[in-house]
Amino acid sequence: MPQMKAVGLHRYLPVNDPESLIDVTLEKPIPQGRDLLVQVKAVSVNPVDVKVRAPKQKTESSPRVLGWDAAGIVEAVGPDCTLFRPGDEVYYAGSITRPGCNSEFHIVDERIVGTKPRTLDFAQAAALPLTAITAWEGLFERLGISQRKADNEGKSVLIVGAAGGVGSIATQLAADAGLTVIGTASRPETSEWARQHGAAYTISHYEPFTAQLKQHGLTSVDYIFCLNNTDQHWEQMAEAIAPQGKICSIVETAAPVNLKLLKNKSAAFVWELMFTRPMYETEDMIEQHLLLNRVAEKIDAGELRTTLKERLAPINAATLRQVHQMVESGRTIGKIVVEHFD
């Protein structure tokens, strides 16, 4: 069987342990059904990678490969594929229930893959899929925000954690849809990044939200998209949300939140997890293919831009451990991408 390089783990260890991520050699997979075999050119690291790799009492008999953001070239297709063919340039996040993309070749269902933006290189494209899917689903599906600017005149959204990976694309998508975007940030450089990516105003997530919103002429916001520490911000979000407004979070809580705080406002709370569709193979799985293509169109039209902040090379265990440490710090801005296998 043909072999390929990959980065995986056998034990779940602190990232400063050289065994936390290791270079391995695996069999090159063969696509079946609606799967694509993609030659991976660039990958990005997300908080989910760090969470999965985090220390726990568990071992893997065969290497577990992480990675849920990739851009590359279709090498081969399964017999049931209809959307792509060999040679196509693609980008995607993949599924949490399947091996990740930190490998030279990767298997992924074509229904959750998009055509790579023509105007971006592979690293610039690899920065986008997981965060773009999360932001798109959170804003337009979970919160139910219209994509038509005319429908959003006078409406506002508060994005908690606006300078992170998801925040960097969510601010752009929300502004592109005609909303007034308020982003939370904690440092001058993150505030500036958020404004560069679509936030009309920025406020601190370490101070009461409503008092800061009033400084910008807002008594409340119609929507809140929480991308950071739901527990910490819950009471502030409940106070800031408008009557009949909606809150969406992507961050699980350490303890139950008090939903009673939303009752008098008839406000709604919803979750967003971009892995839901591939995890359960929902009937509408192909929506991720469609939205990634729509994002690519907007990128190529100059309406959105990549959130790539830093690129490293090559794709190997040492580099990925370095990036995991950077993501674990909680101080990254935008996205970090790793490109090129040795």
Side-chain angles (χ1 to χ4, degrees):
M1 288 286 292
Q3 305 287 295
M4 67 176 184
K5 296 177 182 178
V7 177
L9 60 82
H10 284 289
R11 295 183 296 155
Y12 297 86
L13 300 165
V15 72
N16 57 3
D17 190 313
E19 296 293 311
S20 60
L21 291 171
I22 57 174
D23 294 307
V24 297
T25 301
L26 302 174
E27 287 187 358
K28 182 179 176 181
I30 299 171
Q32 307 291 334
R34 296 198 70 173
D35 283 339
L36 308 176
L37 177 67
V38 177
Q39 181 186 14
V40 175
K41 295 294 188 180
V43 299
S44 183
V45 175
N46 293 283
V48 65
D49 297 69
V50 170
K51 181 181 176 182
V52 172
R53 196 221 73 248
K56 56 182 73 71
Q57 292 298 317
K58 183 181 178 182
T59 58
E60 304 288 349
S61 56
S62 58
R64 181 173 185 181
V65 178
L66 310 183
W68 293 280
D69 252 343
I73 302 170
V74 177
E75 172 94 353
V77 301
D80 301 328
C81 287
T82 60
L83 303 176
F84 297 97
R85 56 189 175 186
D88 288 344
E89 296 185 350
V90 295
Y91 75 140
Y92 59 90
S95 171
I96 193 72
T97 58
R98 303 185 73 176
C101 60
N102 293 339
S103 55
E104 283 187 286
F105 296 92
H106 184 239
I107 291 285
V108 62
D109 191 300
E110 67 170 355
R111 290 170 291 180
I112 56 174
V113 175
T115 298
K116 183 182 78 67
R118 296 187 313 276
T119 54
L120 300 185
D121 65 26
F122 288 107
Q124 291 169 326
L128 289 166
L130 185 145
T131 55
I133 295 170
T134 301
W136 188 288
E137 290 183 348
L139 292 169
F140 303 132
E141 298 182 26
R142 311 301 174 224
L143 289 172
I145 296 170
S146 171
Q147 294 178 49
R148 296 178 63 250
K149 290 185 178 181
D151 295 337
N152 295 320
E153 188 173 348
K155 293 184 178 179
S156 57
V157 59
L158 173 64
I159 297 178
V160 181
V166 178
S168 298
I169 191 70
T171 50
Q172 295 183 67
L173 287 170
D176 184 62
L179 290 157
T180 297
V181 181
I182 305 95
T184 76
S186 60
R187 313 191 305 271
E189 58 269 32
T190 53
S191 294
E192 179 60 26
W193 178 271
R195 286 192 293 269
Q196 289 175 355
H197 288 75
Y201 314 111
T202 58
I203 63 175
S204 170
H205 39 239
Y206 294 124
E207 298 175 24
F209 290 171
T210 51
Q212 296 179 85
L213 290 172
K214 286 177 182 176
Q215 294 174 6
H216 298 293
L218 298 166
T219 56
S220 61
V221 289
D222 300 287
Y223 307 99
I224 297 177
F225 196 15
C226 181
L227 313 176
N228 178 272
N229 205 327
T230 306
D231 306 69
Q232 176 186 331
H233 303 301
W234 180 254
E235 292 187 5
Q236 293 296 326
M237 293 192 294
E239 183 180 356
I241 194 68
Q244 303 181 87
K246 289 184 180 180
I247 301 172
C248 175
S249 179
I250 68 170
V251 184
E252 65 268 34
T253 59
V257 295
N258 183 9
L259 288 174
K260 291 181 182 178
L261 296 178
L262 305 181
K263 183 177 184 298
N264 288 349
K265 291 183 175 180
S266 296
F269 174 66
V270 293
W271 292 109
E272 159 57 18
L273 177 67
M274 59 77 52
F275 288 125
T276 296
R277 281 172 163 143
M279 183 187 300
Y280 294 99
E281 295 189 1
T282 59
E283 291 183 3
D284 65 349
M285 233 172 108
I286 201 167
E287 288 298 320
Q288 292 196 346
H289 163 73
L290 298 174
L291 77 82
L292 283 172
N293 281 353
R294 190 75 187 96
V295 169
E297 290 169 3
K298 286 181 172 290
I299 292 279
D300 291 337
E303 297 167 14
L304 301 174
R305 55 195 172 110
T306 182
T307 54
L308 173 66
K309 183 69 164 62
E310 189 170 353
R311 62 171 91 202
L312 291 83
I315 303 172
N316 62 21
T319 309
L320 284 169
R321 286 196 302 270
Q322 178 186 349
V323 180
H324 273 238
Q325 284 185 306
M326 295 164 74
V327 173
E328 274 190 0
S329 75
R331 296 178 65 82
T332 55
I333 300 174
K335 294 297 294 293
I336 305 168
V337 172
V338 186
E339 57 186 337
H340 309 310
F341 280 91
D342 282 330

